[in-house]
Amino acid sequence: MTATANTTPVRHTRVPTPKTAPPSNRLRAWATRAPLLPALIFMVAVTQLPFVATLVISFFDWNALYPDARSFTGLGNYSEVLTDPDLRKSVLTTILLTATVVLASLVLGLALALLLNRRFKGRGLVRTLLIAPFLLVPVAAALLWKHVLYNPEYGLFNGLLHWVGGDSAAQPDWISNTPLLAIEASLVWQWTPFMMLILLAGLQSRDPELVEAARMDGASNWQVFRHLTLPHLRRYLELGALLGSIYIVQNFDAVFTITSGGLGTANLPYTVYQSFYQAHENGLASAAGVLVVIGSIIIATFALRVVSSLFREEVSR
Amino acid sequence: MRNARDKGARGKGIGLGLAAWLAGILFFLPIAWMVLTSFHSEEDAATNPPSLAAPLTLDGYRDFFGTGGGASPWPSLINSTVASLASTLLVLVLALPAAYALSLRPVKKWTDVLFFFLSTKMLPVVAGLLPIYLFAKNTGMLDNIWLLVLLYTSMNLPIAVWMMQSFLAEVPKPVIEAAQIDGARLPTILTRVVAPIALPGIAATSLICFIFSWNELLFARVLTGVVAQTAPVFLTGFITSQGLFLAKVCAASLVISLPVLAAGFAAQDKLVQGLSLGAVK
């Protein structure tokens, strides 16, 4: 991951320092750098070293149940992982899950932010109600959806159907029928408030006189939204999408709790977890982990560019 | 003419206000239902169609706290508290000097350093999980709460450095320079000038670190067992909950979410700013 940081082109605030600094200057440079070191060293030790170890293990054929049979296989694990239909499926699942949840929660969050950006009675209370899903412990939220809402026998959803449709109402088994959708719905419910909060902050940072002026000129609601609000919100939408993706790509709690990765819902984090925690295939799990990292680097390079452009605006302000 | 238009606009305003209320209630409904269910007896909780009028009882909570049989959640709640508080403290100790160096003093290539921190956040947890597990197993650190403290610190440190950097950057430089000219030394500047301005942001950062640590499941699930089990791991015991345990599941989920709910509601605004790494003000 260090590579991504190094290739990021952000060098706009270079401090001019003479090439041959006198000793006292060099000393001072170290003094200014010193407070950074503990955090840097800690991060390298706890996040980069284990990854290097993962990289090394990924070249070994190593099942934890047969430690003596450990042997070097080169890229064997990688070809096995890449040809494994289950793993390819989990790549697809991860992409689908992340894209669906991020897009749906962004759109819903935008609608809610627009609603909450106007004055009305009890706005503070409504905002608090809306934030609550985001503040539930993720496992608790997943349990809520699994048992309290989706359960075919006594869940709220089927209870409501029963209420409305009487005794003959359909009583679907939500998780078995549409497992991935069931997970996505719970995650959209949890992440929409987050998107709403970011977009609401964006809306409130907008100059109200600009909208006023546009209205004076006879602009319709849609025109204001299309030509003023949306361009202004662009960076906030990007930020929401980026942060949402970082967390949802790595989602483990919902998949683990609602379906335990069954019914074709295993995403990459769950698959890696399973292959070493249950199947004890250390080498394979590591190779899969490295592939997850490569995928993340591709996303992260793009993502860091977005953040750095936001950041540049911030610095130049 | 103008009056009529105002009236129309007001009517529409009320309509949109109602729509916002409806959305709020809809999003909160599952949690409201969870609260109600947690106060029902297991028999009443498991009826279909659901009964709103069922008598209220504390049995779900009694069962959860182990006084009605079953494992006590207290050790896991204490573990979560220790892990979250200790790692938040460690994050502060490491992140404050780093953020200070990055925001107030000219460190060469400071943005690169910032982006390094952020990039570690994009490293999937699973990429390092196995070596950490093997390390813990070989050194006898498995099922040890202090290993979680270290890992939670690494999980939250990048966010904390970013957030605090942006909060500390809000301290106006001229004020600091003026204090320096007046002969104030570093400790004085920090306590008298920097702290008052940056303190709310630092508090928000701590809160977010606490919440993330409290919520974490994957590390805790893999690296702890009986002794160091955290509250979310305790909750996973309900995953295959069959039959009549609905009230207990709801009570457990709510009690374990309570610290996060309380902290989050208390700091709604700072939470947004923090979660968006200070980019949204």
Side-chain angles (χ1 to χ4, degrees):
Chain A
M1 288 307 288
T2 333
T4 17
N6 290 339
T7 52
T8 316
V10 271
R11 281 171 227 252
H12 42 278
T13 48
R14 192 173 293 168
V15 183
T17 29
K19 276 245 150 63
T20 49
S24 69
N25 264 12
R26 210 180 297 158
L27 205 67
R28 195 184 304 155
W30 271 107
T32 35
R33 237 173 273 156
L36 260 175
L37 290 179
L40 267 178
I41 293 168
F42 184 89
M43 282 314 289
V44 170
V46 184
T47 67
Q48 314 289 299
L49 290 185
F51 176 61
V52 172
T54 302
L55 201 61
V56 174
I57 297 171
S58 74
F59 295 117
F60 284 88
D61 184 10
W62 178 10
N63 185 311
L65 298 179
Y66 310 98
D68 298 330
R70 185 166 56 182
S71 64
F72 184 80
T73 63
L75 292 171
N77 287 325
Y78 287 91
S79 63
E80 197 174 334
V81 158
L82 286 172
T83 51
D84 180 358
D86 282 349
L87 196 101
R88 268 194 276 182
K89 177 122 197 345
S90 76
V91 171
L92 204 70
T93 305
T94 309
I95 295 171
L96 207 64
L97 184 76
T98 311
T100 312
V101 173
V102 170
L103 281 179
S105 55
L106 258 183
V107 171
L108 273 175
L110 176 62
L112 291 175
L114 288 169
L115 277 179
L116 258 78
N117 193 36
R118 11 172 75 252
R119 263 175 223 287
F120 60 91
K121 254 204 168 71
R123 182 166 71 166
L125 187 61
V126 171
R127 199 175 100 142
T128 305
L129 291 179
L130 279 171
I131 296 170
F134 187 66
L135 295 176
L136 216 56
V137 169
V139 189
L143 282 173
L144 165 69
W145 281 77
K146 183 185 169 95
H147 291 305
V148 183
L149 302 181
Y150 286 142
N151 188 292
E153 277 155 46
Y154 43 75
L156 180 62
F157 287 161
N158 282 356
L160 290 175
L161 286 178
H162 204 151
W163 251 341
V164 175
D167 282 342
S168 58
Q171 298 281 291
D173 187 342
W174 304 88
I175 297 176
S176 307
N177 294 351
T178 47
L180 193 60
L181 204 64
I183 293 174
E184 285 166 350
S186 76
L187 285 173
V188 168
W189 178 74
Q190 274 225 296
W191 282 89
T192 298
F194 173 73
M195 302 298 185
M196 192 259 311
L197 287 173
I198 287 187
L199 295 173
L200 192 59
L203 284 172
Q204 284 170 356
S205 75
R206 184 176 60 170
D207 185 2
E209 279 175 22
L210 215 63
V211 180
E212 196 81 357
R215 287 207 188 283
M216 289 282 194
D217 290 342
S220 69
N221 277 337
W222 171 249
Q223 281 170 326
V224 170
F225 176 74
R226 175 73 190 76
H227 297 291
L228 276 178
T229 311
L230 221 48
H232 171 78
L233 281 184
R234 207 192 120 178
R235 26 179 303 197
Y236 296 92
L237 286 165
E238 284 175 351
L239 188 71
L242 160 68
L243 294 170
S245 309
I246 292 179
Y247 285 101
I248 294 161
V249 160
Q250 300 188 33
N251 182 279
F252 173 76
D253 305 30
V255 173
F256 178 72
T257 305
I258 295 179
T259 60
S260 301
L263 307 166
T265 59
N267 60 351
L268 279 168
Y270 187 84
T271 306
V272 176
Y273 161 82
Q274 206 182 21
S275 55
F276 95 83
Y277 203 68
Q278 282 164 14
H280 307 284
E281 286 288 356
N282 289 351
L284 276 181
S286 298
V290 172
L291 289 177
V292 176
V293 172
I294 293 173
S296 301
I297 287 178
I298 296 170
I299 300 174
T301 318
F302 165 74
L304 283 175
R305 205 158 287 161
V306 172
V307 177
S308 84
S309 77
L310 291 174
F311 191 62
R312 199 155 25 228
E313 277 176 50
E314 195 70 31
V315 167
S316 62
R317 222 190 265 168
Chain B
M1 174 77 189
R2 190 176 162 85
N3 214 350
R5 208 176 118 190
D6 274 4
K7 224 179 229 166
R10 200 178 308 151
K12 204 172 130 213
I14 291 172
L16 288 171
L18 281 178
W21 264 102
L22 192 70
I25 291 169
L26 222 59
F27 263 78
F28 192 71
L29 189 67
I31 295 179
W33 189 252
M34 199 180 191
V35 175
L36 187 68
T37 306
S38 75
F39 288 110
H40 280 165
S41 70
E42 296 294 358
E43 289 78 11
D44 289 334
T47 54
N48 184 1
S51 62
L52 285 167
L56 302 181
T57 162
L58 286 172
D59 285 354
Y61 289 87
R62 252 179 233 128
D63 284 348
F64 167 62
F65 282 112
T67 43
S72 165
W74 283 113
S76 69
L77 284 168
I78 292 167
N79 280 332
S80 273
T81 310
V82 171
S84 306
L85 286 181
S87 85
T88 303
L89 206 69
L90 191 54
V91 165
L92 284 180
V93 169
L94 291 169
L96 268 174
Y100 178 76
L102 287 171
S103 62
L104 298 181
R105 301 203 240 172
V107 171
K108 250 170 92 179
K109 293 191 179 171
W110 63 290
T111 46
D112 287 357
V113 178
L114 259 182
F115 279 98
F116 165 75
F117 280 116
L118 190 62
S119 73
T120 62
K121 198 59 219 163
M122 292 169 189
L123 186 75
V125 168
V126 289
L129 197 57
L130 177 66
I132 291 170
Y133 172 80
L134 294 175
F135 168 81
K137 202 174 162 193
N138 292 331
T139 53
M141 289 271 279
L142 221 49
D143 206 6
N144 183 330
I145 199 72
W146 298 105
L147 181 66
L148 281 190
V149 170
L150 287 183
L151 292 171
Y152 290 171
T153 304
S154 80
M155 174 176 88
N156 288 326
L157 191 57
I159 298 175
V161 170
W162 265 84
M163 284 177 68
M164 287 190 193
Q165 185 276 136
S166 80
F167 290 126
L168 287 174
E170 280 171 23
V171 181
K173 288 228 167 64
V175 179
I176 297 173
E177 278 154 21
Q180 277 169 339
I181 291 167
D182 290 345
R185 297 177 65 90
L186 188 62
T188 323
I189 294 178
L190 285 182
T191 51
R192 292 281 173 82
V193 182
V194 177
I197 299 175
L199 222 48
I202 292 168
T205 312
S206 315
L207 214 67
I208 286 172
C209 293
F210 179 86
I211 292 176
F212 279 147
S213 305
W214 187 273
N215 285 351
E216 204 281 332
L217 174 67
L218 186 52
F219 278 136
R221 161 89 196 162
V222 171
L223 299 170
T224 71
V226 189
V227 185
Q229 185 191 66
T230 62
V233 179
F234 184 88
L235 271 184
T236 60
F238 292 103
I239 285 181
T240 51
S241 163
Q242 293 293 320
L244 299 173
F245 285 115
L246 211 52
K248 191 179 170 185
V249 172
C250 290
S253 299
L254 283 168
V255 171
I256 287 172
S257 296
L258 213 56
V260 175
L261 281 165
F265 284 141
Q268 293 181 21
D269 292 311
K270 286 286 169 194
L271 204 65
V272 194
Q273 196 180 339
L275 287 171
S276 51
L277 306 169
V280 172
K281 299 244 164 72

